[in-house]
Coordinates of all heavy atoms in Angstrom, one line a residue:
Q1 N 91.0 90.6 92.4 CA 91.0 89.2 91.9 C 90.2 89.2 90.6 O 90.7 88.5 89.6 CB 90.3 88.3 92.9 CG 90.5 86.8 92.6 CD 90.0 85.9 93.7 OE1 89.4 86.4 94.7 NE2 90.2 84.6 93.5
F2 N 89.1 89.9 90.5 CA 88.3 89.9 89.3 C 89.1 90.4 88.0 O 89.0 89.8 86.9 CB 87.1 90.8 89.5 CG 86.2 90.9 88.3 CD1 85.3 89.9 88.0 CD2 86.2 92.1 87.5 CE1 84.4 90.1 86.9 CE2 85.4 92.2 86.4 CZ 84.5 91.2 86.1
Y3 N 89.9 91.5 88.2 CA 90.6 92.1 87.1 C 91.9 91.4 86.8 O 92.6 91.9 85.8 CB 90.8 93.6 87.3 CG 89.5 94.4 87.2 CD1 88.8 94.9 88.3 CD2 88.9 94.5 86.0 CE1 87.6 95.6 88.2 CE2 87.7 95.2 85.8 CZ 87.0 95.7 87.0 OH 85.9 96.4 86.9
Q4 N 92.2 90.4 87.5 CA 93.5 89.7 87.2 C 93.4 88.8 85.9 O 94.4 88.6 85.2 CB 93.9 88.7 88.3 CG 94.5 89.4 89.5 CD 94.8 88.5 90.7 OE1 94.5 87.3 90.6 NE2 95.3 89.0 91.7
S5 N 92.2 88.4 85.5 CA 92.0 87.6 84.3 C 92.0 88.4 83.1 O 91.5 89.6 83.1 CB 90.7 86.8 84.4 OG 89.6 87.6 84.3
E6 N 92.5 87.9 82.0 CA 92.5 88.6 80.7 C 91.1 88.9 80.2 O 90.9 89.9 79.6 CB 93.3 87.8 79.7 CG 93.6 88.6 78.4 CD 94.5 87.8 77.5 OE1 95.4 87.0 77.9 OE2 94.3 87.9 76.2
E7 N 90.2 88.0 80.5 CA 88.8 88.2 80.1 C 88.2 89.5 80.7 O 87.4 90.1 80.1 CB 88.0 87.0 80.6 CG 86.5 87.0 80.2 CD 85.8 85.9 80.8 OE1 86.4 84.9 81.4 OE2 84.5 85.9 80.7
N8 N 88.6 89.8 81.9 CA 88.1 91.0 82.6 C 89.0 92.2 82.6 O 88.9 93.1 83.4 CB 87.7 90.6 84.0 CG 86.7 89.5 84.1 OD1 85.7 89.5 83.4 ND2 86.9 88.6 85.1
A9 N 89.9 92.2 81.6 CA 90.9 93.3 81.5 C 90.1 94.6 81.4 O 89.1 94.7 80.7 CB 91.8 93.1 80.3
P10 N 90.5 95.7 82.2 CA 89.8 96.9 82.2 C 89.7 97.6 80.8 O 90.7 97.7 80.1 CB 90.6 97.8 83.2 CG 91.3 96.8 84.0 CD 91.6 95.7 83.1
R11 N 88.5 98.1 80.5 CA 88.3 98.8 79.3 C 87.3 99.9 79.6 O 86.3 99.7 80.3 CB 87.7 97.9 78.2 CG 88.7 96.8 77.7 CD 88.0 96.0 76.6 NE 88.9 94.9 76.2 CZ 89.0 93.7 76.8 NH1 88.2 93.5 77.9 NH2 89.8 92.7 76.4
G12 N 87.5 101.1 79.1 CA 86.6 102.2 79.3 C 87.0 103.1 80.5 O 88.1 102.9 81.0
E13 N 86.1 104.0 80.9 CA 86.4 104.9 82.0 C 85.7 104.4 83.2 O 84.5 104.0 83.2 CB 86.0 106.3 81.6 CG 86.7 106.9 80.4 CD 88.2 107.0 80.6 OE1 88.6 107.4 81.7 OE2 88.9 106.6 79.6
Y14 N 86.3 104.6 84.4 CA 85.8 104.1 85.6 C 85.7 105.2 86.7 O 86.4 106.2 86.7 CB 86.8 103.0 86.2 CG 86.8 101.8 85.3 CD1 87.7 101.7 84.2 CD2 86.0 100.7 85.6 CE1 87.7 100.6 83.5 CE2 86.1 99.5 84.9 CZ 86.9 99.5 83.8 OH 87.0 98.3 83.0
V15 N 84.7 105.0 87.5 CA 84.5 105.8 88.8 C 84.4 104.8 89.9 O 83.6 103.8 89.9 CB 83.3 106.7 88.7 CG1 83.2 107.5 90.0 CG2 83.3 107.6 87.5
L16 N 85.3 104.9 90.9 CA 85.3 104.1 92.1 C 84.5 104.8 93.2 O 84.9 105.9 93.6 CB 86.7 103.7 92.5 CG 87.6 103.2 91.4 CD1 89.0 102.9 92.0 CD2 87.0 101.9 90.8
V17 N 83.5 104.1 93.8 CA 82.8 104.7 94.9 C 83.1 103.8 96.1 O 82.6 102.6 96.1 CB 81.3 104.8 94.6 CG1 80.6 105.5 95.8 CG2 81.0 105.6 93.3
I18 N 83.8 104.3 97.1 CA 84.4 103.4 98.2 C 83.8 103.8 99.5 O 83.7 105.0 99.9 CB 85.9 103.6 98.2 CG1 86.6 103.4 96.9 CG2 86.5 102.7 99.3 CD1 87.9 104.0 96.7
A19 N 83.3 102.8 100.2 CA 82.7 103.1 101.5 C 83.8 103.6 102.5 O 85.0 103.3 102.4 CB 82.2 101.7 102.1
G20 N 83.3 104.6 103.3 CA 84.2 105.1 104.3 C 84.4 104.1 105.5 O 83.8 103.1 105.5
K21 N 85.3 104.5 106.4 CA 85.6 103.6 107.5 C 84.3 103.6 108.4 O 83.7 104.6 108.7 CB 86.8 104.2 108.3 CG 87.1 103.3 109.6 CD 88.4 103.9 110.2 CE 89.6 103.5 109.4 NZ 90.9 103.9 110.2
S22 N 83.9 102.4 108.8 CA 82.7 102.2 109.6 C 82.9 102.6 111.0 O 84.0 102.6 111.6 CB 82.2 100.8 109.5 OG 83.1 99.9 110.2
E23 N 81.7 102.8 111.7 CA 81.8 103.1 113.2 C 82.4 101.9 113.9 O 83.1 102.1 114.9 CB 80.3 103.3 113.7 CG 79.7 104.6 113.2 CD 80.5 105.8 113.7 OE1 81.0 105.8 114.8 OE2 80.6 106.8 112.9
E24 N 82.1 100.7 113.5 CA 82.7 99.5 114.1 C 84.2 99.5 114.1 O 84.9 99.1 115.0 CB 82.1 98.2 113.4 CG 80.6 97.9 113.7 CD 79.7 98.8 112.8 OE1 80.3 99.4 111.8 OE2 78.5 98.9 113.1
E25 N 84.7 99.9 112.9 CA 86.2 99.9 112.7 C 86.8 101.0 113.7 O 87.8 100.8 114.3 CB 86.6 100.2 111.3 CG 86.4 99.1 110.3 CD 86.7 99.5 108.9 OE1 85.9 100.3 108.3 OE2 87.7 99.1 108.4
L26 N 86.1 102.1 113.8 CA 86.6 103.2 114.6 C 86.6 102.8 116.1 O 87.5 103.0 116.8 CB 85.7 104.5 114.5 CG 85.8 105.2 113.1 CD1 84.8 106.3 113.0 CD2 87.2 105.8 113.0
E27 N 85.5 102.1 116.5 CA 85.4 101.6 117.9 C 86.5 100.6 118.2 O 87.1 100.6 119.2 CB 84.0 101.0 118.1 CG 82.9 102.0 118.2 CD 83.1 102.9 119.4 OE1 83.6 102.5 120.5 OE2 82.8 104.1 119.3
Q28 N 86.8 99.7 117.2 CA 87.8 98.7 117.3 C 89.2 99.3 117.5 O 90.0 98.9 118.3 CB 87.8 97.7 116.1 CG 88.9 96.7 116.1 CD 88.7 95.6 117.2 OE1 87.7 95.6 117.9 NE2 89.8 94.9 117.4
E29 N 89.4 100.3 116.7 CA 90.7 101.0 116.7 C 90.9 101.7 118.1 O 92.0 101.7 118.7 CB 90.8 102.1 115.6 CG 91.1 101.4 114.3 CD 91.2 102.5 113.2 OE1 91.1 103.7 113.5 OE2 91.4 102.1 112.0
K30 N 89.8 102.3 118.6 CA 89.8 103.0 119.9 C 90.1 102.0 121.0 O 90.9 102.3 121.9 CB 88.5 103.7 120.1 CG 88.6 104.8 121.2 CD 87.2 105.5 121.4 CE 87.0 106.5 120.3 NZ 85.7 107.3 120.6
R31 N 89.5 100.8 120.9 CA 89.6 99.8 121.9 C 91.1 99.3 121.9 O 91.6 99.1 123.0 CB 88.7 98.6 121.6 CG 88.5 97.6 122.7 CD 87.5 96.5 122.4 NE 86.2 97.1 122.2 CZ 85.6 97.1 121.0 NH1 86.1 96.6 120.0 NH2 84.4 97.7 120.9
L32 N 91.6 99.1 120.7 CA 93.0 98.6 120.7 C 94.0 99.6 121.2 O 95.0 99.3 121.8 CB 93.4 98.3 119.2 CG 92.7 97.1 118.6 CD1 93.0 97.0 117.1 CD2 93.2 95.8 119.3
S33 N 93.6 100.9 121.1 CA 94.5 102.0 121.6 C 94.7 101.9 123.2 O 95.7 102.4 123.7 CB 94.1 103.3 121.2 OG 92.9 103.7 121.8
W34 N 93.7 101.4 123.9 CA 93.8 101.4 125.4 C 93.7 100.0 126.0 O 93.9 99.8 127.2 CB 92.6 102.2 126.0 CG 91.2 101.8 125.6 CD1 90.4 102.5 124.8 CD2 90.4 100.7 126.1 NE1 89.2 101.8 124.7 CE2 89.2 100.8 125.5 CE3 90.7 99.7 127.1 CZ2 88.2 99.8 125.8 CZ3 89.7 98.8 127.3 CH2 88.4 98.8 126.7
E35 N 93.6 99.0 125.1 CA 93.5 97.6 125.6 C 94.6 97.2 126.5 O 94.4 96.4 127.5 CB 93.3 96.6 124.4 CG 92.2 95.6 124.7 CD 91.9 94.8 123.4 OE1 92.8 94.6 122.6 OE2 90.7 94.5 123.2
G36 N 95.8 97.6 126.3 CA 96.9 97.2 127.1 C 97.2 98.1 128.3 O 98.2 98.0 129.0
L37 N 96.3 99.1 128.5 CA 96.5 100.1 129.5 C 95.7 99.7 130.8 O 94.6 99.2 130.7 CB 96.1 101.5 129.1 CG 96.8 102.1 127.8 CD1 96.2 103.4 127.5 CD2 98.3 102.2 128.1
S38 N 96.2 100.1 131.9 CA 95.4 100.0 133.1 C 94.4 101.2 133.1 O 94.5 102.1 132.3 CB 96.3 100.1 134.4 OG 96.8 101.4 134.4
V39 N 93.4 101.1 134.0 CA 92.4 102.2 134.1 C 93.1 103.5 134.4 O 92.8 104.6 133.8 CB 91.3 101.9 135.2 CG1 90.4 103.1 135.3 CG2 90.5 100.6 134.8
E40 N 94.1 103.5 135.3 CA 94.8 104.7 135.6 C 95.5 105.3 134.4 O 95.5 106.5 134.1 CB 95.8 104.5 136.8 CG 96.5 105.8 137.2 CD 97.4 105.5 138.4 OE1 97.2 104.6 139.1 OE2 98.4 106.3 138.5
E41 N 96.2 104.4 133.7 CA 97.0 104.8 132.5 C 96.0 105.4 131.4 O 96.3 106.3 130.7 CB 97.8 103.6 131.9 CG 99.0 103.3 132.8 CD 99.6 102.0 132.3 OE1 98.9 101.1 131.8 OE2 100.8 101.8 132.6

């Protein structure tokens, strides 16, 4: 959203430092993978 405006048009060289997937996200994904399963399944 920030770089959509002409005022903030990118200039210069950039390095992007991006956070990795969090433990909470991993747990959520794991939960979704078995949420519809019975205990036996």
Side-chain angles (χ1 to χ4, degrees):
Q1 190 173 6
F2 177 81
Y3 288 107
Q4 282 177 357
S5 70
E6 191 174 327
E7 180 186 352
N8 299 320
R11 297 178 182 86
E13 299 300 317
Y14 293 83
V15 182
L16 309 180
V17 184
I18 308 161
K21 181 175 284 187
S22 68
E23 291 297 324
E24 291 76 15
E25 287 178 288
L26 291 172
E27 287 297 322
Q28 176 67 10
E29 286 180 1
K30 194 179 286 186
R31 191 177 301 112
L32 289 172
S33 71
W34 57 256
E35 223 165 37
L37 302 177
S38 67
V39 175
E40 182 177 336
E41 289 170 332

